[in-house]
Amino acid sequence: MSEIKFGVLGQYFHCPVKGDFEYAAHALILVDQQGTIVSVLTDSDTQYHAQIEALSAHQQLIELSPTQYLMPGMVDLHVHAPQFPQAGKGLDLPLYDWLQDYTFPLEAKFEDMVFAKQIYPQLVQSLLANGTTSAVYFATIHKDTSVELARECLRQGQRGYIGKVNMDEPTQCPPFYIEPSTETALKETECFIQQVLAIEGNEEQLVSPVITPRFVPSCTAELLQGLGELVQQYQCHVQTHCSESDWARDHSQAQYGKTDVEIYNDFGLMTSKTILAHSIFLTPSDHQLIKSTGASIAHCPLSNMYFANAAMQTREILDNDLKCGLGSDLAGAPIPSIFHTCLDAVNHSRVREDGTSTYLPANERGEQGSRISFLEAYWLATVGGGQAIDAKVGLFQPGFEFDALVIDTAIADSNIFILEEMDSAKDKLEKIICLNSRQNIRKVWVKGQLVVDK
Ligand SMILES: [Zn+2]
């Protein structure tokens, strides 16, 4: 057995089975020097008491109090890092105005390293404090500050997947925020990949480069082709937006006569390490193509309500066993918390199920049977997200990375109220999912490294 770094003793929740949960009351989780879980013991295991004694003698035992719960770290599959200063602004505008008036001028500022260094540390710190141990980031078109974001994740110990954004189609990009040329975009992307892989201290690949075409309309076919070749060459992760709105879907049909999923597949961009943000207007054959390529979907429930024109097929995606996790889509939604995104995902599905128009009879108003449960949303945020990033995170099982949070439900300024004699384990877990805020998150580990400690 590899050398133990520490053990955590206490109660935990996780969701090995989609739609269900597991609760352990007095578990001992042993973590090795590499940050990997080596064993999960209960008091019926013969080694349990001896291990506790040994760890305790060497100050390697972290014992949780009865109001503290160990939970897997949260995975955010879709964050626009440069939009952090924009969070909470202008979300009642139409998408076009929001992008032109706020987003593109802000993203263009990240050419400036001094500006980027002012923003990115705050963002990473905020996500970690909210329990996001893994984050998949869109940066901007600028290579150097995108590498800086990767460095910042590494500095603060967050598992980061970072993309230098690509957008070169002059009819869709503002003149002040566009690649100088397709060739430059490809050269800079390749250089970005090499630089992120070579960052000092990144030998274990805590941060990874992600090939990132912004979306079909903002990229020329030559750019998509070139990015697909880089994907094959470097076997990198890929992220992009997919069939997000009526406009985006219709644009792809008009230009290529195909769906976004088909277009990405034609250009070699659909692999088991591809993350498709939004994916609202999926056809049945898109479902099949996503499944056969092993690509994943990032469901961004709140920003979809603002900008997607329709509701997500979350129920069908879960039932068809497509790979799927949750994304905050900061700043298309303002809240940097995947716990909050869980609540949004449930709300989103309920509005879809019930429908909205009071002018229609109840049975014609919504799409029956389309709700998802809190446990399913939480599974998406942990296990589903882990599968999408191709990392062994989201579960407390031997061989998984120790990415974990300690939630304390009894701090002075808590929204969570637990009544021991009335609340079952499931009640407690649902309360934590719905009511948790960053004050409740007392400790955060990524790969066995303590990165938040209150
Ligand atoms: Zn987005």
Side-chain angles (χ1 to χ4, degrees), residues 343-359:
L343 186 56
D344 294 333
V346 172
N347 297 347
H348 186 107
S349 76
R350 295 294 288 273
V351 173
R352 180 185 179 211
E353 180 171 86
D354 290 341
T356 56
S357 175
T358 54
Y359 298 105

Side-chain angles (χ1 to χ4, degrees), residues 126-389:
S126 180
L127 290 186
L128 280 171
N130 279 286
T132 300
T133 47
S134 300
V136 184
Y137 291 107
F138 272 57
T140 60
I141 64 173
H142 316 101
K143 177 190 57 98
D144 290 347
T145 52
S146 300
V147 175
E148 179 57 25
L149 174 59
R151 270 197 216 100
E152 188 55 42
C153 290
L154 194 61
R155 237 174 252 137
Q156 295 196 37
Q158 188 181 45
R159 197 180 292 282
Y161 299 80
I162 295 104
K164 172 221 163 310
V165 171
N166 283 271
M167 42 197 277
D168 71 334
E169 170 52 54
T171 60
Q172 297 297 330
C173 305
F176 60 85
Y177 189 48
I178 184 169
E179 310 279 2
S181 71
T182 308
E183 238 188 346
T184 312
L186 292 169
K187 218 184 279 171
E188 291 281 275
T189 297
E190 183 163 17
C191 190
F192 168 78
I193 295 166
Q194 292 167 347
Q195 288 188 10
V196 172
L197 292 174
I199 294 174
E200 206 187 320
N202 193 29
E203 292 72 24
E204 293 188 38
Q205 303 294 301
L206 192 69
V207 296
S208 308
V210 185
I211 291 176
T212 308
R214 189 172 197 114
F215 71 147
V216 170
S218 65
C219 298
T220 60
E222 297 71 45
L223 182 59
L224 292 174
Q225 178 72 38
L227 292 174
E229 285 162 16
L230 287 175
V231 171
Q232 306 308 322
Q233 189 182 340
Y234 287 93
Q235 303 291 306
C236 276
H237 294 265
V238 179
Q239 63 179 341
T240 188
H241 297 96
C242 176
S243 300
E244 181 177 359
S245 62
D246 284 307
W247 180 84
R249 185 257 321 260
D250 295 347
H251 188 281
S252 293
Q253 282 296 341
Q255 198 179 348
Y256 292 93
K258 292 179 179 176
T259 67
D260 280 2
V261 172
E262 291 164 345
I263 295 165
Y264 293 136
N265 192 51
D266 286 354
F267 286 118
L269 290 158
M270 290 287 288
T271 77
S272 62
K273 288 159 85 174
T274 297
I275 296 170
L276 303 166
H278 307 294
S279 307
I280 296 291
F281 293 95
L282 296 181
T283 65
S285 70
D286 286 340
H287 274 246
Q288 280 193 340
L289 201 46
I290 291 171
K291 197 166 181 172
S292 66
T293 55
S296 304
I297 294 167
H299 176 31
C300 308
L302 186 52
S303 85
N304 289 342
M305 291 198 215
Y306 291 128
F307 297 124
N309 314 122
M312 181 76 171
Q313 301 164 2
T314 324
R315 180 72 269 150
E316 297 88 318
I317 286 163
L318 284 167
D319 292 345
N320 290 347
D321 280 327
L322 298 190
K323 282 162 70 186
C324 184
L326 297 181
S328 63
D329 196 15
L330 200 77
I335 301 161
S337 161
I338 292 297
F339 282 99
H340 203 283
T341 308
C342 289
L343 186 56
D344 294 333
V346 172
N347 297 347
H348 186 107
S349 76
R350 295 294 288 273
V351 173
R352 180 185 179 211
E353 180 171 86
D354 290 341
T356 56
S357 175
T358 54
Y359 298 105
L360 293 172
N363 62 351
E364 292 172 22
R365 222 176 275 147
E367 296 179 71
Q368 285 179 16
S370 57
R371 70 175 61 189
I372 68 165
S373 70
F374 283 96
L375 291 179
E376 285 171 326
Y378 185 61
W379 181 91
L380 288 169
T382 52
V383 181
Q387 291 173 350
I389 56 175

Side-chain angles (χ1 to χ4, degrees), residues 2 6 12-17 22 29-40 70-73 75 133-134 159 204 379 382-404 445-449:
S2 46
F6 61 87
Y12 72 74
F13 286 110
H14 69 169
C15 297
V17 175
E22 208 171 79
I29 298 180
L30 300 176
V31 180
D32 71 10
Q33 296 292 341
Q34 286 70 46
T36 308
I37 298 171
V38 284
S39 50
V40 181
L70 191 71
M71 320 246 316
V75 182
T133 47
S134 300
R159 197 180 292 282
E204 293 188 38
W379 181 91
T382 52
V383 181
Q387 291 173 350
I389 56 175
D390 195 29
K392 291 201 92 176
V393 298
L395 289 173
F396 297 122
Q397 287 177 356
F400 276 68
E401 310 265 1
F402 189 70
D403 287 17
W445 289 271
V446 180
K447 208 173 163 43
Q449 194 78 33

